[in-house]
Amino acid sequence: MRVPRSRGAFSGVLLVLLGVWGALLPFVGPYAHFGFHPDETWIYGTDRLELSIAPGAATALGGLVALAGTHRVVASVGGWLAALGGAWFVIGTQVAVLWDVNGIGDPLGATRGRHLAEQLSGFSALGVVIVFLAAVALGRFAVVGVRETTAEAPETPSTFKDETAITQPLRRSYGRYARQPQPDDGGDRRVAPDEPGV
């Protein structure tokens, strides 16, 4: 069940960065006029907590667990936590309407392309990328590498290393078709019978 720490390093780092991005975008986006209304920095509300901070924190925490985990089950739990955070980025704005959460605000951009970029980078596309990276991490934790099996496998004695196994004489075979031992007179024995003219 042990897993090398490098197994989830790449996915874990990316998940942490994406989780921080998703959690902080509504708060720091207005610095570059990229984000959601109101156009003021560090405005806190329950909507932002439920739709941005919570899934971003879950993604970042899952990425840290996948990054630092050396046990296969613990690292997989981190991958699942990040996947749930990414899924909430995708569907959270639609599901949260059930308990009267209207959203974190309209996009700040003045054009449709800017609106689309803000929605994708803050929710839909961000969540899809997070789910993809979490799935990659889970797949890597589910596979047992060749190095792990060779490192954990006990050393078995090889017959080729045992000199006695190589130099042992052949056993005499018994049965109807067994060859009878021939006396060795030290001379040259012919394979074919003597025939005139050969």
mmCIF file of all heavy atoms in Angstrom, residues 3-52:
data_model
loop_
_atom_site.group_PDB
_atom_site.id
_atom_site.type_symbol
_atom_site.label_atom_id
_atom_site.label_comp_id
_atom_site.label_asym_id
_atom_site.label_seq_id
_atom_site.Cartn_x
_atom_site.Cartn_y
_atom_site.Cartn_z
ATOM 1 N N VAL A 3 3.275 4.096 -1.509
ATOM 2 C CA VAL A 3 3.370 4.690 -2.830
ATOM 3 C C VAL A 3 4.450 5.762 -2.772
ATOM 4 O O VAL A 3 4.580 6.459 -1.766
ATOM 5 C CB VAL A 3 2.011 5.284 -3.267
ATOM 6 C CG1 VAL A 3 1.584 6.412 -2.370
ATOM 7 C CG2 VAL A 3 2.050 5.741 -4.700
ATOM 8 N N PRO A 4 5.277 5.892 -3.811
ATOM 9 C CA PRO A 4 6.290 6.956 -3.808
ATOM 10 C C PRO A 4 5.642 8.334 -3.771
ATOM 11 O O PRO A 4 4.591 8.548 -4.372
ATOM 12 C CB PRO A 4 7.060 6.744 -5.117
ATOM 13 C CG PRO A 4 6.654 5.425 -5.623
ATOM 14 C CD PRO A 4 5.380 5.034 -4.989
ATOM 15 N N ARG A 5 6.269 9.252 -3.070
ATOM 16 C CA ARG A 5 5.709 10.589 -2.948
ATOM 17 C C ARG A 5 5.676 11.313 -4.292
ATOM 18 O O ARG A 5 4.847 12.182 -4.523
ATOM 19 C CB ARG A 5 6.518 11.394 -1.934
ATOM 20 C CG ARG A 5 5.928 12.736 -1.596
ATOM 21 C CD ARG A 5 6.588 13.324 -0.380
ATOM 22 N NE ARG A 5 6.277 12.535 0.798
ATOM 23 C CZ ARG A 5 6.806 12.768 1.997
ATOM 24 N NH1 ARG A 5 7.675 13.745 2.148
ATOM 25 N NH2 ARG A 5 6.486 12.014 3.016
ATOM 26 N N SER A 6 6.569 10.924 -5.187
ATOM 27 C CA SER A 6 6.592 11.571 -6.500
ATOM 28 C C SER A 6 5.427 11.136 -7.384
ATOM 29 O O SER A 6 5.200 11.734 -8.436
ATOM 30 C CB SER A 6 7.919 11.254 -7.203
ATOM 31 O OG SER A 6 8.054 9.848 -7.401
ATOM 32 N N ARG A 7 4.690 10.099 -6.979
ATOM 33 C CA ARG A 7 3.607 9.590 -7.809
ATOM 34 C C ARG A 7 2.526 10.649 -8.045
ATOM 35 O O ARG A 7 1.990 10.786 -9.134
ATOM 36 C CB ARG A 7 3.004 8.351 -7.149
ATOM 37 C CG ARG A 7 1.855 7.705 -7.902
ATOM 38 C CD ARG A 7 2.304 7.146 -9.227
ATOM 39 N NE ARG A 7 3.279 6.093 -9.087
ATOM 40 C CZ ARG A 7 2.989 4.808 -8.899
ATOM 41 N NH1 ARG A 7 1.740 4.439 -8.821
ATOM 42 N NH2 ARG A 7 3.952 3.916 -8.808
ATOM 43 N N GLY A 8 2.169 11.427 -7.015
ATOM 44 C CA GLY A 8 1.131 12.447 -7.174
ATOM 45 C C GLY A 8 1.655 13.860 -7.118
ATOM 46 O O GLY A 8 0.870 14.790 -6.885
ATOM 47 N N ALA A 9 2.963 14.047 -7.346
ATOM 48 C CA ALA A 9 3.560 15.380 -7.182
ATOM 49 C C ALA A 9 3.033 16.359 -8.221
ATOM 50 O O ALA A 9 2.582 17.463 -7.882
ATOM 51 C CB ALA A 9 5.082 15.276 -7.263
ATOM 52 N N PHE A 10 3.073 15.980 -9.486
ATOM 53 C CA PHE A 10 2.680 16.913 -10.547
ATOM 54 C C PHE A 10 1.204 17.279 -10.431
ATOM 55 O O PHE A 10 0.837 18.466 -10.433
ATOM 56 C CB PHE A 10 2.983 16.293 -11.909
ATOM 57 C CG PHE A 10 2.643 17.177 -13.070
ATOM 58 C CD1 PHE A 10 3.398 18.296 -13.351
ATOM 59 C CD2 PHE A 10 1.551 16.887 -13.889
ATOM 60 C CE1 PHE A 10 3.076 19.125 -14.416
ATOM 61 C CE2 PHE A 10 1.232 17.710 -14.954
ATOM 62 C CZ PHE A 10 1.993 18.825 -15.221
ATOM 63 N N SER A 11 0.337 16.282 -10.323
ATOM 64 C CA SER A 11 -1.099 16.560 -10.203
ATOM 65 C C SER A 11 -1.405 17.304 -8.918
ATOM 66 O O SER A 11 -2.262 18.202 -8.900
ATOM 67 C CB SER A 11 -1.894 15.252 -10.251
ATOM 68 O OG SER A 11 -1.687 14.578 -11.469
ATOM 69 N N GLY A 12 -0.712 16.961 -7.833
ATOM 70 C CA GLY A 12 -0.965 17.624 -6.561
ATOM 71 C C GLY A 12 -0.638 19.102 -6.598
ATOM 72 O O GLY A 12 -1.408 19.935 -6.110
ATOM 73 N N VAL A 13 0.500 19.464 -7.200
ATOM 74 C CA VAL A 13 0.871 20.880 -7.295
ATOM 75 C C VAL A 13 -0.144 21.652 -8.134
ATOM 76 O O VAL A 13 -0.581 22.751 -7.759
ATOM 77 C CB VAL A 13 2.292 21.017 -7.879
ATOM 78 C CG1 VAL A 13 2.601 22.463 -8.229
ATOM 79 C CG2 VAL A 13 3.322 20.485 -6.897
ATOM 80 N N LEU A 14 -0.547 21.091 -9.265
ATOM 81 C CA LEU A 14 -1.528 21.773 -10.116
ATOM 82 C C LEU A 14 -2.878 21.910 -9.417
ATOM 83 O O LEU A 14 -3.554 22.937 -9.548
ATOM 84 C CB LEU A 14 -1.688 21.019 -11.432
ATOM 85 C CG LEU A 14 -0.493 21.062 -12.386
ATOM 86 C CD1 LEU A 14 -0.801 20.287 -13.652
ATOM 87 C CD2 LEU A 14 -0.139 22.506 -12.732
ATOM 88 N N LEU A 15 -3.275 20.895 -8.661
ATOM 89 C CA LEU A 15 -4.550 20.974 -7.948
ATOM 90 C C LEU A 15 -4.508 22.053 -6.873
ATOM 91 O O LEU A 15 -5.493 22.778 -6.669
ATOM 92 C CB LEU A 15 -4.885 19.619 -7.332
ATOM 93 C CG LEU A 15 -5.328 18.528 -8.304
ATOM 94 C CD1 LEU A 15 -5.428 17.184 -7.611
ATOM 95 C CD2 LEU A 15 -6.644 18.894 -8.967
ATOM 96 N N VAL A 16 -3.396 22.172 -6.179
ATOM 97 C CA VAL A 16 -3.275 23.228 -5.170
ATOM 98 C C VAL A 16 -3.378 24.605 -5.826
ATOM 99 O O VAL A 16 -4.100 25.493 -5.344
ATOM 100 C CB VAL A 16 -1.951 23.080 -4.397
ATOM 101 C CG1 VAL A 16 -1.699 24.290 -3.517
ATOM 102 C CG2 VAL A 16 -1.962 21.815 -3.551
ATOM 103 N N LEU A 17 -2.668 24.801 -6.933
ATOM 104 C CA LEU A 17 -2.694 26.101 -7.607
ATOM 105 C C LEU A 17 -4.091 26.431 -8.142
ATOM 106 O O LEU A 17 -4.569 27.568 -8.002
ATOM 107 C CB LEU A 17 -1.686 26.110 -8.750
ATOM 108 C CG LEU A 17 -0.209 26.024 -8.336
ATOM 109 C CD1 LEU A 17 0.683 25.972 -9.574
ATOM 110 C CD2 LEU A 17 0.172 27.189 -7.445
ATOM 111 N N LEU A 18 -4.754 25.445 -8.727
ATOM 112 C CA LEU A 18 -6.099 25.692 -9.253
ATOM 113 C C LEU A 18 -7.107 25.937 -8.134
ATOM 114 O O LEU A 18 -8.029 26.741 -8.287
ATOM 115 C CB LEU A 18 -6.539 24.520 -10.128
ATOM 116 C CG LEU A 18 -5.796 24.360 -11.451
ATOM 117 C CD1 LEU A 18 -6.236 23.094 -12.168
ATOM 118 C CD2 LEU A 18 -6.010 25.573 -12.344
ATOM 119 N N GLY A 19 -6.949 25.238 -7.018
ATOM 120 C CA GLY A 19 -7.839 25.482 -5.885
ATOM 121 C C GLY A 19 -7.682 26.883 -5.319
ATOM 122 O O GLY A 19 -8.669 27.559 -5.003
ATOM 123 N N VAL A 20 -6.437 27.339 -5.204
ATOM 124 C CA VAL A 20 -6.200 28.710 -4.731
ATOM 125 C C VAL A 20 -6.762 29.728 -5.720
ATOM 126 O O VAL A 20 -7.365 30.737 -5.326
ATOM 127 C CB VAL A 20 -4.685 28.922 -4.498
ATOM 128 C CG1 VAL A 20 -4.388 30.380 -4.203
ATOM 129 C CG2 VAL A 20 -4.201 28.046 -3.351
ATOM 130 N N TRP A 21 -6.578 29.453 -7.018
ATOM 131 C CA TRP A 21 -7.124 30.353 -8.046
ATOM 132 C C TRP A 21 -8.642 30.452 -7.939
ATOM 133 O O TRP A 21 -9.211 31.551 -7.961
ATOM 134 C CB TRP A 21 -6.727 29.857 -9.429
ATOM 135 C CG TRP A 21 -7.484 30.486 -10.561
ATOM 136 C CD1 TRP A 21 -8.611 29.992 -11.165
ATOM 137 C CD2 TRP A 21 -7.211 31.732 -11.197
ATOM 138 N NE1 TRP A 21 -9.036 30.842 -12.158
ATOM 139 C CE2 TRP A 21 -8.191 31.925 -12.194
ATOM 140 C CE3 TRP A 21 -6.220 32.703 -11.035
ATOM 141 C CZ2 TRP A 21 -8.226 33.047 -13.016
ATOM 142 C CZ3 TRP A 21 -6.251 33.819 -11.851
ATOM 143 C CH2 TRP A 21 -7.239 33.983 -12.834
ATOM 144 N N GLY A 22 -9.321 29.320 -7.829
ATOM 145 C CA GLY A 22 -10.775 29.342 -7.757
ATOM 146 C C GLY A 22 -11.299 30.006 -6.501
ATOM 147 O O GLY A 22 -12.335 30.683 -6.534
ATOM 148 N N ALA A 23 -10.580 29.839 -5.380
ATOM 149 C CA ALA A 23 -11.052 30.441 -4.136
ATOM 150 C C ALA A 23 -10.815 31.937 -4.086
ATOM 151 O O ALA A 23 -11.620 32.688 -3.508
ATOM 152 C CB ALA A 23 -10.352 29.766 -2.954
ATOM 153 N N LEU A 24 -9.737 32.422 -4.700
ATOM 154 C CA LEU A 24 -9.373 33.834 -4.579
ATOM 155 C C LEU A 24 -9.814 34.700 -5.755
ATOM 156 O O LEU A 24 -9.728 35.927 -5.665
ATOM 157 C CB LEU A 24 -7.853 33.962 -4.409
ATOM 158 C CG LEU A 24 -7.272 33.389 -3.120
ATOM 159 C CD1 LEU A 24 -5.782 33.632 -3.070
ATOM 160 C CD2 LEU A 24 -7.958 33.988 -1.892
ATOM 161 N N LEU A 25 -10.250 34.096 -6.855
ATOM 162 C CA LEU A 25 -10.606 34.897 -8.027
ATOM 163 C C LEU A 25 -11.672 35.960 -7.733
ATOM 164 O O LEU A 25 -11.523 37.119 -8.140
ATOM 165 C CB LEU A 25 -11.060 33.989 -9.174
ATOM 166 C CG LEU A 25 -11.509 34.708 -10.442
ATOM 167 C CD1 LEU A 25 -10.354 35.520 -11.036
ATOM 168 C CD2 LEU A 25 -12.050 33.722 -11.463
ATOM 169 N N PRO A 26 -12.761 35.654 -7.015
ATOM 170 C CA PRO A 26 -13.738 36.707 -6.743
ATOM 171 C C PRO A 26 -13.192 37.839 -5.877
ATOM 172 O O PRO A 26 -13.719 38.961 -5.913
ATOM 173 C CB PRO A 26 -14.867 35.959 -6.017
ATOM 174 C CG PRO A 26 -14.708 34.542 -6.419
ATOM 175 C CD PRO A 26 -13.233 34.342 -6.553
ATOM 176 N N PHE A 27 -12.150 37.575 -5.111
ATOM 177 C CA PHE A 27 -11.630 38.582 -4.196
ATOM 178 C C PHE A 27 -10.524 39.438 -4.821
ATOM 179 O O PHE A 27 -10.422 40.626 -4.536
ATOM 180 C CB PHE A 27 -11.090 37.909 -2.932
ATOM 181 C CG PHE A 27 -12.134 37.156 -2.177
ATOM 182 C CD1 PHE A 27 -12.260 35.783 -2.326
ATOM 183 C CD2 PHE A 27 -13.010 37.795 -1.312
ATOM 184 C CE1 PHE A 27 -13.224 35.066 -1.637
ATOM 185 C CE2 PHE A 27 -13.978 37.103 -0.616
ATOM 186 C CZ PHE A 27 -14.094 35.734 -0.779
ATOM 187 N N VAL A 28 -9.678 38.832 -5.650
ATOM 188 C CA VAL A 28 -8.546 39.571 -6.223
ATOM 189 C C VAL A 28 -8.760 39.897 -7.695
ATOM 190 O O VAL A 28 -7.982 40.677 -8.259
ATOM 191 C CB VAL A 28 -7.234 38.767 -6.052
ATOM 192 C CG1 VAL A 28 -6.957 38.519 -4.594
ATOM 193 C CG2 VAL A 28 -7.286 37.454 -6.831
ATOM 194 N N GLY A 29 -9.780 39.328 -8.321
ATOM 195 C CA GLY A 29 -10.032 39.608 -9.725
ATOM 196 C C GLY A 29 -10.274 41.072 -10.037
ATOM 197 O O GLY A 29 -9.806 41.579 -11.061
ATOM 198 N N PRO A 30 -10.997 41.807 -9.172
ATOM 199 C CA PRO A 30 -11.229 43.230 -9.472
ATOM 200 C C PRO A 30 -9.963 44.071 -9.570
ATOM 201 O O PRO A 30 -10.017 45.182 -10.123
ATOM 202 C CB PRO A 30 -12.112 43.679 -8.291
ATOM 203 C CG PRO A 30 -12.859 42.451 -7.899
ATOM 204 C CD PRO A 30 -11.871 41.344 -8.076
ATOM 205 N N TYR A 31 -8.840 43.584 -9.050
ATOM 206 C CA TYR A 31 -7.593 44.332 -9.242
ATOM 207 C C TYR A 31 -7.283 44.495 -10.732
ATOM 208 O O TYR A 31 -6.753 45.527 -11.155
ATOM 209 C CB TYR A 31 -6.429 43.607 -8.565
ATOM 210 C CG TYR A 31 -6.365 43.789 -7.071
ATOM 211 C CD1 TYR A 31 -6.475 42.696 -6.223
ATOM 212 C CD2 TYR A 31 -6.187 45.048 -6.508
ATOM 213 C CE1 TYR A 31 -6.399 42.847 -4.846
ATOM 214 C CE2 TYR A 31 -6.128 45.210 -5.123
ATOM 215 C CZ TYR A 31 -6.231 44.118 -4.298
ATOM 216 O OH TYR A 31 -6.169 44.271 -2.940
ATOM 217 N N ALA A 32 -7.605 43.467 -11.538
ATOM 218 C CA ALA A 32 -7.368 43.505 -12.986
ATOM 219 C C ALA A 32 -8.669 43.674 -13.755
ATOM 220 O O ALA A 32 -8.694 43.443 -14.963
ATOM 221 C CB ALA A 32 -6.667 42.222 -13.431
ATOM 222 N N HIS A 33 -9.745 44.061 -13.041
ATOM 223 C CA HIS A 33 -11.073 44.187 -13.644
ATOM 224 C C HIS A 33 -11.473 42.897 -14.355
ATOM 225 O O HIS A 33 -12.001 42.905 -15.460
ATOM 226 C CB HIS A 33 -11.113 45.375 -14.626
ATOM 227 C CG HIS A 33 -10.802 46.682 -13.977
ATOM 228 N ND1 HIS A 33 -11.679 47.311 -13.128
ATOM 229 C CD2 HIS A 33 -9.696 47.469 -14.041
ATOM 230 C CE1 HIS A 33 -11.148 48.433 -12.687
ATOM 231 N NE2 HIS A 33 -9.941 48.559 -13.223
ATOM 232 N N PHE A 34 -11.180 41.779 -13.689
ATOM 233 C CA PHE A 34 -11.512 40.456 -14.217
ATOM 234 C C PHE A 34 -12.125 39.669 -13.070
ATOM 235 O O PHE A 34 -11.462 39.378 -12.068
ATOM 236 C CB PHE A 34 -10.250 39.745 -14.726
ATOM 237 C CG PHE A 34 -10.524 38.434 -15.403
ATOM 238 C CD1 PHE A 34 -10.825 38.387 -16.764
ATOM 239 C CD2 PHE A 34 -10.484 37.245 -14.684
ATOM 240 C CE1 PHE A 34 -11.075 37.173 -17.388
ATOM 241 C CE2 PHE A 34 -10.730 36.038 -15.298
ATOM 242 C CZ PHE A 34 -11.028 35.997 -16.654
ATOM 243 N N GLY A 35 -13.382 39.354 -13.164
ATOM 244 C CA GLY A 35 -14.035 38.630 -12.082
ATOM 245 C C GLY A 35 -15.523 38.874 -12.105
ATOM 246 O O GLY A 35 -16.158 38.804 -13.163
ATOM 247 N N PHE A 36 -16.061 39.187 -10.921
ATOM 248 C CA PHE A 36 -17.510 39.273 -10.779
ATOM 249 C C PHE A 36 -17.862 40.481 -9.914
ATOM 250 O O PHE A 36 -17.080 40.910 -9.060
ATOM 251 C CB PHE A 36 -18.054 37.976 -10.158
ATOM 252 C CG PHE A 36 -17.617 36.736 -10.897
ATOM 253 C CD1 PHE A 36 -16.484 36.038 -10.513
ATOM 254 C CD2 PHE A 36 -18.332 36.292 -12.002
ATOM 255 C CE1 PHE A 36 -16.078 34.906 -11.199
ATOM 256 C CE2 PHE A 36 -17.926 35.165 -12.695
ATOM 257 C CZ PHE A 36 -16.799 34.470 -12.301
ATOM 258 N N HIS A 37 -19.041 41.000 -10.142
ATOM 259 C CA HIS A 37 -19.523 42.153 -9.373
ATOM 260 C C HIS A 37 -19.718 41.755 -7.915
ATOM 261 O O HIS A 37 -20.042 40.605 -7.616
ATOM 262 C CB HIS A 37 -20.844 42.648 -9.966
ATOM 263 C CG HIS A 37 -20.676 43.450 -11.206
ATOM 264 N ND1 HIS A 37 -20.171 44.719 -11.205
ATOM 265 C CD2 HIS A 37 -20.957 43.156 -12.505
ATOM 266 C CE1 HIS A 37 -20.152 45.199 -12.444
ATOM 267 N NE2 HIS A 37 -20.628 44.258 -13.253
ATOM 268 N N PRO A 38 -19.519 42.709 -6.999
ATOM 269 C CA PRO A 38 -19.161 44.125 -7.193
ATOM 270 C C PRO A 38 -17.688 44.278 -7.556
ATOM 271 O O PRO A 38 -16.865 43.447 -7.212
ATOM 272 C CB PRO A 38 -19.474 44.754 -5.832
ATOM 273 C CG PRO A 38 -19.297 43.650 -4.864
ATOM 274 C CD PRO A 38 -19.744 42.392 -5.567
ATOM 275 N N ASP A 39 -17.368 45.365 -8.229
ATOM 276 C CA ASP A 39 -16.011 45.612 -8.705
ATOM 277 C C ASP A 39 -15.146 46.180 -7.576
ATOM 278 O O ASP A 39 -14.569 47.252 -7.692
ATOM 279 C CB ASP A 39 -16.049 46.562 -9.899
ATOM 280 C CG ASP A 39 -14.713 46.598 -10.639
ATOM 281 O OD1 ASP A 39 -13.827 45.822 -10.246
ATOM 282 O OD2 ASP A 39 -14.571 47.400 -11.565
ATOM 283 N N GLU A 40 -15.098 45.436 -6.489
ATOM 284 C CA GLU A 40 -14.287 45.817 -5.328
ATOM 285 C C GLU A 40 -13.587 44.571 -4.821
ATOM 286 O O GLU A 40 -14.124 43.462 -4.896
ATOM 287 C CB GLU A 40 -15.151 46.423 -4.218
ATOM 288 C CG GLU A 40 -15.870 47.700 -4.617
ATOM 289 C CD GLU A 40 -16.741 48.223 -3.492
ATOM 290 O OE1 GLU A 40 -16.627 47.713 -2.362
ATOM 291 O OE2 GLU A 40 -17.547 49.126 -3.763
ATOM 292 N N THR A 41 -12.391 44.758 -4.316
ATOM 293 C CA THR A 41 -11.587 43.618 -3.861
ATOM 294 C C THR A 41 -11.977 43.226 -2.432
ATOM 295 O O THR A 41 -12.414 44.062 -1.636
ATOM 296 C CB THR A 41 -10.093 43.974 -3.899
ATOM 297 O OG1 THR A 41 -9.872 45.131 -3.091
ATOM 298 C CG2 THR A 41 -9.659 44.269 -5.326
ATOM 299 N N TRP A 42 -11.811 41.958 -2.153
ATOM 300 C CA TRP A 42 -11.972 41.362 -0.822
ATOM 301 C C TRP A 42 -13.348 41.642 -0.232
ATOM 302 O O TRP A 42 -13.487 41.994 0.935
ATOM 303 C CB TRP A 42 -10.875 41.856 0.136
ATOM 304 C CG TRP A 42 -9.511 41.536 -0.374
ATOM 305 C CD1 TRP A 42 -8.619 42.409 -0.907
ATOM 306 C CD2 TRP A 42 -8.911 40.257 -0.421
ATOM 307 N NE1 TRP A 42 -7.476 41.752 -1.278
ATOM 308 C CE2 TRP A 42 -7.624 40.420 -0.997
ATOM 309 C CE3 TRP A 42 -9.307 38.965 -0.044
ATOM 310 C CZ2 TRP A 42 -6.743 39.370 -1.202
ATOM 311 C CZ3 TRP A 42 -8.436 37.912 -0.242
ATOM 312 C CH2 TRP A 42 -7.176 38.115 -0.817
ATOM 313 N N ILE A 43 -14.378 41.479 -1.053
ATOM 314 C CA ILE A 43 -15.757 41.567 -0.573
ATOM 315 C C ILE A 43 -16.217 40.146 -0.254
ATOM 316 O O ILE A 43 -16.276 39.282 -1.136
ATOM 317 C CB ILE A 43 -16.683 42.214 -1.622
ATOM 318 C CG1 ILE A 43 -16.224 43.632 -1.921
ATOM 319 C CG2 ILE A 43 -18.121 42.201 -1.142
ATOM 320 C CD1 ILE A 43 -16.278 44.559 -0.730
ATOM 321 N N TYR A 44 -16.564 39.922 1.014
ATOM 322 C CA TYR A 44 -16.949 38.575 1.455
ATOM 323 C C TYR A 44 -18.466 38.469 1.540
ATOM 324 O O TYR A 44 -19.157 39.420 1.901
ATOM 325 C CB TYR A 44 -16.328 38.271 2.817
ATOM 326 C CG TYR A 44 -16.802 36.971 3.417
ATOM 327 C CD1 TYR A 44 -16.262 35.764 2.999
ATOM 328 C CD2 TYR A 44 -17.801 36.965 4.383
ATOM 329 C CE1 TYR A 44 -16.705 34.557 3.541
ATOM 330 C CE2 TYR A 44 -18.243 35.769 4.930
ATOM 331 C CZ TYR A 44 -17.700 34.572 4.502
ATOM 332 O OH TYR A 44 -18.137 33.389 5.037
ATOM 333 N N GLY A 45 -18.956 37.282 1.184
ATOM 334 C CA GLY A 45 -20.370 36.982 1.327
ATOM 335 C C GLY A 45 -20.579 35.479 1.404
ATOM 336 O O GLY A 45 -19.700 34.685 1.057
ATOM 337 N N THR A 46 -21.750 35.080 1.866
ATOM 338 C CA THR A 46 -22.058 33.651 1.985
ATOM 339 C C THR A 46 -22.050 32.968 0.624
ATOM 340 O O THR A 46 -21.641 31.815 0.498
ATOM 341 C CB THR A 46 -23.423 33.463 2.660
ATOM 342 O OG1 THR A 46 -23.439 34.162 3.897
ATOM 343 C CG2 THR A 46 -23.701 32.000 2.918
ATOM 344 N N ASP A 47 -22.487 33.685 -0.397
ATOM 345 C CA ASP A 47 -22.485 33.120 -1.744
ATOM 346 C C ASP A 47 -21.061 32.784 -2.190
ATOM 347 O O ASP A 47 -20.818 31.721 -2.769
ATOM 348 C CB ASP A 47 -23.122 34.093 -2.729
ATOM 349 C CG ASP A 47 -24.580 34.369 -2.411
ATOM 350 O OD1 ASP A 47 -25.154 33.607 -1.605
ATOM 351 O OD2 ASP A 47 -25.141 35.322 -2.956
ATOM 352 N N ARG A 48 -20.142 33.683 -1.943
ATOM 353 C CA ARG A 48 -18.752 33.421 -2.328
ATOM 354 C C ARG A 48 -18.142 32.307 -1.492
ATOM 355 O O ARG A 48 -17.295 31.560 -1.982
ATOM 356 C CB ARG A 48 -17.936 34.711 -2.198
ATOM 357 C CG ARG A 48 -18.382 35.777 -3.171
ATOM 358 C CD ARG A 48 -17.445 36.957 -3.229
ATOM 359 N NE ARG A 48 -17.842 37.864 -4.299
ATOM 360 C CZ ARG A 48 -17.113 38.873 -4.713
ATOM 361 N NH1 ARG A 48 -15.945 39.120 -4.144
ATOM 362 N NH2 ARG A 48 -17.526 39.637 -5.704
ATOM 363 N N LEU A 49 -18.574 32.208 -0.241
ATOM 364 C CA LEU A 49 -18.084 31.108 0.599
ATOM 365 C C LEU A 49 -18.516 29.763 0.046
ATOM 366 O O LEU A 49 -17.715 28.837 -0.063
ATOM 367 C CB LEU A 49 -18.607 31.280 2.030
ATOM 368 C CG LEU A 49 -18.340 30.114 2.984
ATOM 369 C CD1 LEU A 49 -16.844 29.938 3.220
ATOM 370 C CD2 LEU A 49 -19.073 30.323 4.308
ATOM 371 N N GLU A 50 -19.776 29.648 -0.341
ATOM 372 C CA GLU A 50 -20.306 28.363 -0.778
ATOM 373 C C GLU A 50 -19.896 28.008 -2.201
ATOM 374 O O GLU A 50 -19.742 26.820 -2.514
ATOM 375 C CB GLU A 50 -21.834 28.374 -0.666
ATOM 376 C CG GLU A 50 -22.346 28.493 0.753
ATOM 377 C CD GLU A 50 -23.845 28.480 0.839
ATOM 378 O OE1 GLU A 50 -24.499 28.293 -0.209
ATOM 379 O OE2 GLU A 50 -24.388 28.675 1.944
ATOM 380 N N LEU A 51 -19.731 29.011 -3.057
ATOM 381 C CA LEU A 51 -19.500 28.723 -4.473
ATOM 382 C C LEU A 51 -18.038 28.823 -4.893
ATOM 383 O O LEU A 51 -17.673 28.266 -5.931
ATOM 384 C CB LEU A 51 -20.340 29.673 -5.342
ATOM 385 C CG LEU A 51 -21.853 29.564 -5.154
ATOM 386 C CD1 LEU A 51 -22.571 30.585 -6.006
ATOM 387 C CD2 LEU A 51 -22.336 28.165 -5.466
ATOM 388 N N SER A 52 -17.215 29.517 -4.135
ATOM 389 C CA SER A 52 -15.818 29.680 -4.528
ATOM 390 C C SER A 52 -14.844 29.221 -3.451
ATOM 391 O O SER A 52 -13.932 28.436 -3.721
ATOM 392 C CB SER A 52 -15.531 31.145 -4.879
ATOM 393 O OG SER A 52 -16.242 31.528 -6.020
#
